Amino acid sequence: MWAFHTPQPTQPPSLFNPRRTPPKLPSSSLTLNPSISNSTPNHNQLIQSLCKQGDLKQAFKLLSREPNPSQRTYEVLILSCADQNSLSLAQSLHSHISENGFDQDPFLVTKLISMYAVLDSLDDARKVFDKTRKRTIFVWNALFRALTLAGFGEEVLGLYRKMNRIGLPSDRFTYTYVLKACVASECMVSLLNKGKEIHAHILRHGLEGYVHIMTTLVDMYARFGCVAHASFVFEKMPVRNVVSWSAMMACYAKNGKPFEALELFREMMIETRDSAPNSVTMVSVLQACAALSALEQGKLVHAYILRRGLDSVLPVISALITMYARCGELELGQRIFDRMEKRDVVSWNSLISSYGLHGYGKKAMQIFEEMIHQGVSPSPITFVSVLGACSHAGLVEEGKKLFDSMCKEHGIHPSVEHYACMVDLLGRANRLEEAAKIIDEMRIEPGAKVWGSLLGSCRIHCNVELAERASHRLFQLEPHSAGNYVLLADIYAEAEMWDDVKRVRKLLETRSLQKVAGRSWIEVRRKMYSFVSVDEPNPQIELIQSLLIKLAAEMKEKGYSPQTKVVLYDLDESEKERILLGHSEKLAVAFGLINTKKGETIRITKNLRLCEDCHSFTKFISKFTNKEILVRDVNRFHHFQNGVCSCGDYW
């Protein structure tokens, strides 16, 4: 347990703090250069003026002739070194400050630490801290902030424990930094527990009235996926601002609760008359629309963005591109991209991933090459996007070349995500032994994502041996993930290994794990409808069931054959067919047929991979009813038209 101390009201350790009174120096230090007479001109104002004009070199020349630099002069010089990204001048200035006896001034120490943080020289920042004899809370906060922004969360928490042991009280800004430190690196369970301890301390000292602390708490719980905890903190907040609302919306949008995100946005628009949503808010709302394929809702949000003048903010534009693509309107996303006056790597990544999602791997690669040609350096996410595009399009050799170019041409070392993409690329193409070899030769720990990609590929090609190897590791890495058990059971079922199916199902029961229910969403007349199973209440459920039975019977005469192998239970064929008709995407398709006009596209989102039977069924439906049907599953888009799917049955 940590020892905590009562906080005192203070100000944040920012580069823009009001100036503090300089420390009282020893009498021997009051006159920095006794040989200079009082008539010597004071250059402090001129040095500060040169810094503001951006003439840092000239300011340094003048500094060498100034015998009594003021604290304000040093502060402005520190800010200028950071602004001009000059580490060499920063280090020279630091030496000058030390020589003139200001290196123990707590105010300038905080500035130096912040300067070195901006210049990505954390070792220098640590040295400044270590050499400071009198460390005020501002000094501690400056280092906490620097280390947290650089991802050294555990180091911050260790220093925080040390600070508490020596009895220095925290202030309200300390809490924001240490809470952010809990999620600065990997979101481990041990760090979540530290966050909960800090939360308890905040409550004990009555700090729940500080909106920025509580908002940081919401964000911390959101990043750990603790949606209920985040929601509880948000609901108890006595005061909320636009940042608080945005944090909670982002929590919902990024943790699989897009419905709740949109509902919260509506609530915010009603409750907050004084503060309008900002660009961060709109990004979360667009992500929620994208998750649900809520095209009409997304268009309304787009219109609001235009009215508010937020259409020039790069993250908002990138989110718009993604939203339209994930709602099936790839051309609209491309049109927005084409109209952009300025593009960053995030914008390019959005477009690349959009084409990949729709199965246009070659087009995604062309965009990648165009981005390189225009001088935009790819990010690690760029390669995740383009490798994913290659995977969905079956472009194995192209994907392998891209993977090799990461380090050789772009200086990017592959991460777990990139290896997972490569395993998926090879696995989908039934090159499973090659995929397994990549895992064996990895220089970093494969992790759950890599083994999950292998298990998913084994499911597609029914490779029992490799599936057992992958699942064995996954059961160790993710003991509470029911999806891994279900995938293994699927593979055993397809291989007709029913005893093993029962064994895996027994494991699920004994470990109290529940399979994630298949859920599908459809938007009709700007309203979202959700389907889980035939047991879910719906005023049209009887009509939906009767339509599905009728369509299935008529399509059988035209060649449709139910893929009963996807049913895990050892039942007779008629019972398996009845279960198949209850799949959520079929219910959503039938609902769409009943409630959409002639020529209107049906748009459906599925939270899991589209099963083989639903895929076959929807192909027949699109031809049988002359309807265009768009289905986005957890992996990609399926564009059904006239009995054909855009994926080419490769998914």
Side-chain angles (χ1 to χ4, degrees), residues 27-285:
S27 57
S28 60
S29 303
L30 289 174
T31 304
L32 299 177
N33 194 339
S35 64
I36 304 295
S37 68
N38 291 334
S39 61
T40 304
N42 188 312
H43 299 300
N44 282 291
Q45 290 296 328
L46 186 53
I47 293 170
Q48 294 169 29
S49 179
L50 286 168
C51 287
K52 290 174 183 176
Q53 294 169 22
D55 195 350
L56 189 55
K57 289 186 178 178
Q58 190 61 37
F60 264 80
K61 287 180 182 178
L62 203 56
L63 178 66
S64 64
R65 303 207 304 268
E66 171 53 55
N68 297 298
S70 67
Q71 186 197 56
R72 174 60 180 165
T73 296
Y74 279 135
E75 179 192 5
V76 174
L77 284 163
I78 289 169
L79 291 169
S80 296
C81 288
D83 289 341
Q84 296 196 20
N85 198 31
S86 177
L87 179 59
S88 59
L89 286 177
Q91 290 170 334
S92 297
L93 176 62
H94 186 186
S95 297
H96 197 284
I97 289 170
S98 298
E99 289 166 6
N100 281 285
F102 274 75
D103 59 324
Q104 294 301 314
D105 177 350
F107 173 66
L108 289 180
V109 166
T110 64
K111 300 298 178 187
L112 285 168
I113 292 171
S114 298
M115 174 190 72
Y116 281 129
V118 171
L119 297 172
D120 293 323
S121 184
L122 285 180
D123 284 341
D124 283 316
R126 290 185 183 99
K127 287 174 185 175
V128 172
F129 180 84
D130 291 340
K131 290 178 180 178
T132 304
R133 294 187 292 274
K134 184 181 178 182
R135 297 170 186 159
T136 64
I137 190 61
F138 308 112
V139 174
W140 285 90
N141 284 351
L143 188 64
F144 289 164
R145 180 177 182 272
L147 294 172
T148 297
L149 289 174
F152 293 95
E154 290 186 83
E155 184 178 349
V156 171
L157 294 171
L159 286 167
Y160 181 56
R161 283 193 292 270
K162 182 179 177 181
M163 189 188 87
N164 278 285
R165 280 198 300 270
I166 64 175
L168 183 65
S170 301
D171 68 8
R172 63 183 186 273
F173 298 100
T174 310
Y175 293 119
T176 61
Y177 300 140
V178 294
L179 284 171
K180 287 176 182 177
C182 294
V183 291
S185 46
E186 292 186 26
C187 294
M188 297 181 291
V189 175
S190 60
L191 296 182
L192 171 60
N193 292 332
K194 295 287 186 283
K196 288 179 177 179
E197 287 182 31
I198 297 166
H199 184 184
H201 181 241
I202 289 165
L203 295 177
R204 280 201 302 273
H205 290 91
L207 296 172
E208 59 268 33
Y210 289 108
V211 66
H212 67 280
I213 294 179
M214 304 313 285
T215 301
T216 309
L217 260 175
V218 170
D219 185 62
M220 182 206 72
Y221 282 127
R223 289 171 185 254
F224 280 108
C226 301
V227 180
H229 287 73
S231 179
F232 178 82
V233 172
F234 180 78
E235 292 298 329
K236 294 291 183 182
M237 288 177 69
V239 180
R240 299 170 188 160
N241 59 17
V242 65
V243 182
S244 315
W245 288 92
S246 300
M248 194 63 230
M249 265 180 263
C251 173
Y252 284 138
K254 293 175 181 177
N255 286 285
K257 293 187 177 293
F259 267 118
E260 289 82 351
L262 290 178
E263 187 58 38
L264 192 65
F265 178 62
R266 280 189 282 269
E267 187 182 333
M268 177 187 177
M269 297 297 286
I270 294 168
E271 287 192 19
T272 57
R273 303 287 184 184
D274 299 331
S275 55
N278 60 20
S279 59
V280 178
T281 316
M282 301 321 298
V283 167
S284 294
V285 175

Side-chain angles (χ1 to χ4, degrees), residues 306-337:
L306 293 171
R307 290 198 303 274
R308 292 273 298 120
L310 297 171
D311 55 316
S312 61
V313 181
L314 283 176
V316 174
I317 304 173
S318 299
L320 274 169
I321 294 168
T322 301
M323 184 274 292
Y324 278 119
R326 291 179 74 83
C327 290
E329 293 290 345
L330 190 55
E331 290 182 7
L332 284 176
Q334 177 72 64
R335 201 179 303 168
I336 290 170
F337 181 84

Side-chain angles (χ1 to χ4, degrees), residues 609-627:
R609 180 179 181 269
L610 201 61
C611 80
E612 287 85 346
D613 184 65
C614 287
H615 192 268
S616 174
F617 185 89
T618 311
K619 282 200 297 184
F620 270 93
I621 286 284
S622 68
K623 185 175 183 178
F624 201 72
T625 62
N626 194 27
K627 269 280 191 181

Side-chain angles (χ1 to χ4, degrees), residues 579-639:
I579 291 172
L580 287 175
L581 284 180
H583 280 196
S584 65
E585 54 267 47
K586 291 191 181 74
L587 299 175
V589 167
F591 183 83
L593 291 171
I594 294 167
N595 293 283
T596 57
K597 299 173 185 176
K598 186 178 180 181
E600 187 178 348
T601 301
I602 295 174
R603 302 172 193 276
I604 295 167
T605 304
K606 176 86 190 288
N607 67 333
L608 303 174
R609 180 179 181 269
L610 201 61
C611 80
E612 287 85 346
D613 184 65
C614 287
H615 192 268
S616 174
F617 185 89
T618 311
K619 282 200 297 184
F620 270 93
I621 286 284
S622 68
K623 185 175 183 178
F624 201 72
T625 62
N626 194 27
K627 269 280 191 181
E628 183 180 2
I629 304 171
L630 291 179
V631 179
R632 195 189 80 223
D633 69 7
V634 71
N635 293 321
R636 59 163 297 154
F637 249 102
H638 300 267
H639 187 167

